Amino acid sequence: MDPFEDTLRQLRGAFNTGRTRPAEFRAAQLRGLGRFLEDNKQLLQDALAQDLHKSAFESEVSEIAISQGEVTLALRNLRAWMKDQRVPKNLATQLDSAFIRKEPFGLVLIVAPWNYPLNLTLVPLVGALAAGNCVVLKPSEISTSVEKVLAEVLPRYLDQSCFAVVLGGPQEMAQLLEHKFDYIFFTGSPRVGRIVMTAAAKHLTPVTLELGGPGGRQGHPRPQSSPDAAAQSWPLSQETSGLGPAML
């Protein structure tokens, strides 16, 4: 039995009604996301500490404040982003109205990594909501405390007919990728990125891949077998951000 089929059918049905298109709806979702960050700051800091040993300061700077800043930016510019963009006419279009109209893709899948489990989940989510899409969010199963907060708390702040969080590991991810999405945003390793892109190609689904990997660092720590150990190995400094390479 497919555990995702009913959820995806509901989300696509909601998008097809046009529910997510009005600016008022998009703004309401963004404000809900902002309230989630404000109301649950301590809960999120505790979860980041449990998963990655991030201090309250690092959690604020590298995760929460960045996400809140994206919400603020999107709310400030939402209506301007939604406006038609006038373009020059040519000989063949002199009698026409020539403009670019931005349309939402539809059903968007966001797959997040373990090392910045809030920032790299919510920043793409802001863009997807601002653009008027329905969203399936797949947090990392490795950052279990943050995953739990995103699955149990975040949906209370958003319209659940247009938004869902799905959980699981590689097996569930493979099942999820069998379905057709209208856009996929993936952050993670090149190895998994190839799997995501191969699955997307079957449906001609456009993809954004933010791929990480070994980065330049000072020092020579022993290889670590878990994110918990890795977090202890790399203190926040000017050279490193503690949890793998940071793409700024």
Side-chain angles (χ1 to χ4, degrees), residues 137-151:
L137 201 63
K138 169 62 179 72
S140 171
E141 73 280 7
I142 297 175
S143 298
T144 55
S145 299
V146 174
E147 178 192 44
K148 183 177 181 181
V149 176
L150 293 174

Side-chain angles (χ1 to χ4, degrees), residues 84-148:
D84 293 341
Q85 178 184 343
R86 300 291 171 180
V87 295
K89 298 179 183 180
N90 57 32
L91 183 62
T93 60
Q94 284 301 309
L95 301 179
D96 299 326
S97 297
F99 56 88
I100 297 171
R101 175 161 294 169
K102 294 98 170 179
E103 295 283 345
F105 279 95
L107 183 56
V108 173
L109 172 63
I110 298 172
V111 183
W114 62 266
N115 59 335
Y116 291 90
L118 193 67
N119 173 350
L120 294 180
T121 301
L122 299 190
V123 169
L125 178 59
V126 169
L129 294 176
N133 297 288
C134 288
V135 180
V136 176
L137 201 63
K138 169 62 179 72
S140 171
E141 73 280 7
I142 297 175
S143 298
T144 55
S145 299
V146 174
E147 178 192 44
K148 183 177 181 181

